[in-house]
């Protein structure tokens, strides 16, 4: 009975620090690898994993078992390439040594994800997880504190807020009182934590970079964004004026509906202005216009109509606004008398109009995407003769996920398995 004692290293720490290619097989080779890894990085937990691999192999040899010691490493490019590299190396070990079972040694949760790959190729008797015990004395605490102080980002993130808190709190406690000072400091700390937690700093940096790139490239959207910001400010101001003109009303529903009723037209115009600038930039560029930009103006108008309709319904029910009156008119032989549109009829009209506009936008976007520049005018992606090979005649590796394909059971050619005859 042959047992494979294998140490798994998914991120290829061994190869990165020693320059050796895996798999490393044999007692002497692994013992020499321990020295190389330890000299390259004495703090690496991989040293303990390699020593544990040798210890397990020695215990099995003492029980008169035939043992093969190996170290298998992945790849640093991606997780998929790392798993495939480990699978390929395990196949080589199975083909050469034909082990009956395996004992897997790992030192992290990342390496533990490779265990199913080993189990798919041989029986796994044991999984040995190496946990390194850390010294809890003054020397190790001092060492960790020294490493913390050497990290500039950690110093700015932790020490600066603590220092400002200790500096500002005595002044606030003297001027406004201890309770007010503690409340102010707690508020500032909460805002800072939210600022870092939601990555607002990265969002602000990205917006600044995008604005600078837009200015340098001369995009039309820069002007339209400024106009949209102005219209947004006007809309918010109009909504605030509408709320201030209300009489004293209980609750927040009526003021909120009044704010929405007065501000929605301006906000819709702001969104349409911004989307129009983005559409112009897409039209000027060489790339085709994306369907999302085409449907955005229709969606904005539809949402604005829906919000306007619901807010008008609530305000009319509360008697804040008057019912909508259609005046009398004459169109040649046709004429109509003046009539009043009820609140429900007005709401239904707004909702139906919003749905129709959204459907029109979806239809326009889909029609433009179907008649894109990559397709022929008649809508067919290829001509009758075709420049692309028939899918049935392509290699099977192009029609699957890239893995090896099994030959047909009858031994016939896989390229003719679909019924094509020469």
């Amino acid at each position: 009975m042959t047992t494979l004692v294998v140490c798994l290293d998914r991120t290829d720490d061994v190869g990165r620090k020693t320059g050796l290619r895996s798999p490393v097989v044999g007692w002497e080779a692994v013992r020499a690898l321990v020295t190389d890894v330890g000299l390259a990085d004495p703090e690496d937990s991989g040293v303990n994993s390699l020593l544990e691999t040798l210890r397990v192999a020695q215990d099995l040899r003492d029980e008169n078992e035939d043992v093969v010691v190996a170290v298998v490493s992945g790849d640093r490019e991606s997780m998929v390439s790392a798993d495939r590299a480990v699978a390929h190396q395990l196949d080589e070990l199975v083909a050469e040594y034909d082990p009956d079972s395996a004992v897997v040694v790992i030192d992290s949760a990342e390496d533990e994800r490779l265990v199913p790959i080993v189990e798919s190729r041989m029986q796994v008797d044991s999984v040995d997880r190496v946990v390194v015990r850390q010294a809890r004395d003054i020397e190790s605490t001092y060492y960790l504190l020294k490493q913390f102080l050497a990290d500039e980002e950690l110093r700015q993130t932790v020490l600066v807020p603590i220092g400002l808190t200790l500096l500002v709190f005595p002044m606030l406690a003297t001027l406004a009182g201890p309770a007010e000072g503690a409340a102010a400091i707690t508020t500032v700390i909460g805002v800072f934590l939210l600022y870092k937690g939601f990555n607002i700093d990265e969002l602000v940096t990205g917006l600044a970079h995008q604005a600078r790139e837009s200015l340098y490239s001369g995009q039309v959207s820069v002007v339209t964004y400024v106009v949209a910001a102005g219209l947004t400010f006007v809309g918010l101001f109009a909504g605030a004026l509408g709320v201030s003109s209300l009489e004293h009303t209980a609750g927040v529903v009526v003021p909120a509906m009044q704010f929405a009723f007065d501000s929605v037209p301006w906000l819709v115009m702001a969104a349409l202005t911004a989307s129009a600038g983005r559409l112009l930039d897409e039209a000027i560029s060489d790339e085709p216009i994306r369907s999302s930009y085409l449907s955005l103006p229709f969606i904005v108008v539809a949402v604005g109509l829906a919000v306007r309709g619901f807010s008008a319904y609530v305000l009319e029910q509360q008697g804040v606004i008057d019912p909508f009156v259609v005046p009398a008119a004459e169109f040649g032989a046709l004429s109509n008398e003046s009539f009043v549109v009820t609140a429900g009829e007005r709401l239904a009209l707004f909702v139906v109009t919003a749905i129709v506009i959204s459907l029109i936008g979806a239809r326009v976007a889909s029609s433009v995407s179907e008649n894109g520049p990559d397709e022929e005018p008649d809508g067919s992606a290829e001509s009758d003769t075709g420049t692309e090979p028939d899918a049935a005649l392509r290699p099977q590796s192009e029609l699957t996920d890239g893995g090896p394909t099994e030959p047909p059971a009858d031994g016939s050619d896989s390229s003719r398995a679909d019924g094509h005859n020469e």
Side-chain angles (χ1 to χ4, degrees):
M1 180 177 179
T2 303
T3 303
L4 174 65
V5 181
V6 57
C7 179
L8 300 181
D9 177 22
R10 192 182 191 191
T11 56
D12 196 20
D13 293 334
V14 173
R16 186 175 66 255
K17 294 175 182 178
T18 63
L20 299 176
R21 297 184 59 183
S22 55
V24 178
V25 186
W27 175 275
E28 295 297 334
V30 174
R31 190 169 65 175
L33 184 61
V34 173
T35 304
D36 295 339
V37 175
L39 291 176
D41 187 4
E43 298 177 348
D44 189 5
S45 60
V47 178
N48 301 89
S49 298
L50 296 174
L51 291 174
E52 177 67 11
T53 304
L54 294 175
R55 187 194 67 80
V56 172
Q58 186 177 20
D59 292 343
L60 294 177
R61 284 182 177 177
D62 293 341
E63 298 176 1
N64 297 325
E65 289 192 23
D66 189 8
V67 179
V68 177
V69 185
V71 178
V72 175
S73 300
D75 196 348
R76 296 188 297 271
E77 294 182 359
S78 66
M79 293 297 101
V80 175
S81 61
D83 295 346
R84 288 179 175 176
V86 170
H88 178 69
Q89 296 171 34
L90 289 173
D91 291 337
E92 292 181 354
L93 294 176
V94 171
E96 183 173 356
Y97 298 100
D98 191 20
D100 299 291
S101 61
V103 176
V104 179
V105 180
I106 55 177
D107 65 344
S108 65
E110 189 74 19
D111 298 336
E112 192 169 358
R113 298 181 181 180
L114 298 174
V115 175
I117 300 179
V118 183
E119 291 176 338
S120 65
R121 285 158 173 80
M122 67 192 79
Q123 176 182 343
V124 175
D125 291 341
S126 175
V127 177
D128 191 352
R129 297 172 178 84
V130 179
V131 179
V132 181
R133 293 189 299 270
Q134 301 293 338
R136 300 179 181 271
D137 52 9
I138 298 177
E139 184 178 359
S140 61
T141 304
Y142 169 76
Y143 178 71
L144 293 176
L145 182 60
K146 186 177 180 181
Q147 283 187 329
F148 169 76
L149 295 176
D151 194 329
E152 182 178 357
E153 183 177 357
L154 286 176
R155 288 203 311 268
Q156 294 178 354
T157 305
V158 178
L159 296 183
V160 171
I162 294 177
L164 290 176
T165 301
L166 296 176
L167 183 64
V168 174
F169 179 73
M171 295 185 292
L172 292 178
T174 303
L175 297 176
E180 290 78 2
I185 293 296
T186 305
T187 302
V188 172
I189 293 176
V191 171
F192 175 76
L193 293 178
L194 291 177
Y195 179 82
K196 299 297 292 185
F198 287 108
N199 292 329
I200 299 178
D201 51 348
E202 296 182 2
L203 295 178
V204 173
T205 304
L207 290 176
H209 178 73
Q210 184 178 2
R212 184 170 61 253
E213 293 294 331
S214 300
L215 287 173
Y216 291 157
S217 60
Q219 295 181 358
V220 182
S221 58
V222 176
V223 180
T224 58
Y225 285 162
V226 174
V227 176
L231 292 174
T232 302
F233 178 77
V234 173
L236 297 177
F237 183 72
L241 285 179
V243 173
S244 63
S245 63
L246 291 175
E247 298 179 355
H248 296 288
T249 56
V252 296
V253 176
V254 174
M257 293 297 103
Q258 183 67 45
F259 181 86
F261 183 80
D262 293 331
S263 62
V264 158
W266 294 97
L267 298 179
V268 170
M269 286 190 293
L272 288 177
T273 303
S275 61
R278 193 62 181 171
L279 275 175
L280 288 176
D281 289 339
E282 291 289 323
I284 293 173
S285 63
D286 297 333
E287 298 180 357
I289 301 177
R290 284 175 280 186
S291 59
S292 58
Y293 290 145
L294 291 173
S295 61
L296 180 60
F298 297 93
I299 298 299
V300 168
V301 174
V303 172
L305 287 175
V307 174
R308 177 85 171 185
F310 282 105
S311 59
Y313 176 81
V314 175
L315 295 177
E316 185 175 344
Q317 291 291 333
Q318 295 295 323
V320 179
I321 60 175
D322 297 328
F324 182 73
V325 179
V326 178
E330 293 184 2
F331 302 96
L334 301 177
S335 63
N336 69 288
E337 297 180 356
S338 177
F339 63 94
V340 179
V341 179
T342 63
E345 293 173 346
R346 174 193 279 187
L347 177 60
L349 180 62
F350 273 94
V351 171
V352 171
T353 306
I355 294 175
V356 171
I357 290 177
S358 62
L359 292 177
I360 293 174
R363 179 57 184 169
V364 170
S366 62
S367 63
V368 172
S369 62
E370 289 175 359
N371 298 326
D374 295 337
E375 298 183 356
E376 296 296 331
D378 59 351
S380 61
E382 299 178 3
S383 60
D384 292 339
T385 57
T387 58
E388 294 290 332
D390 188 4
L393 298 179
R394 294 177 184 174
Q396 291 295 322
S397 60
E398 295 181 8
L399 304 179
T400 62
D401 58 352
T405 58
E406 295 291 338
D410 56 357
S412 61
D413 191 358
S414 61
S415 63
R416 304 178 188 176
D418 56 355
H420 286 276
N421 296 323
E422 295 187 7

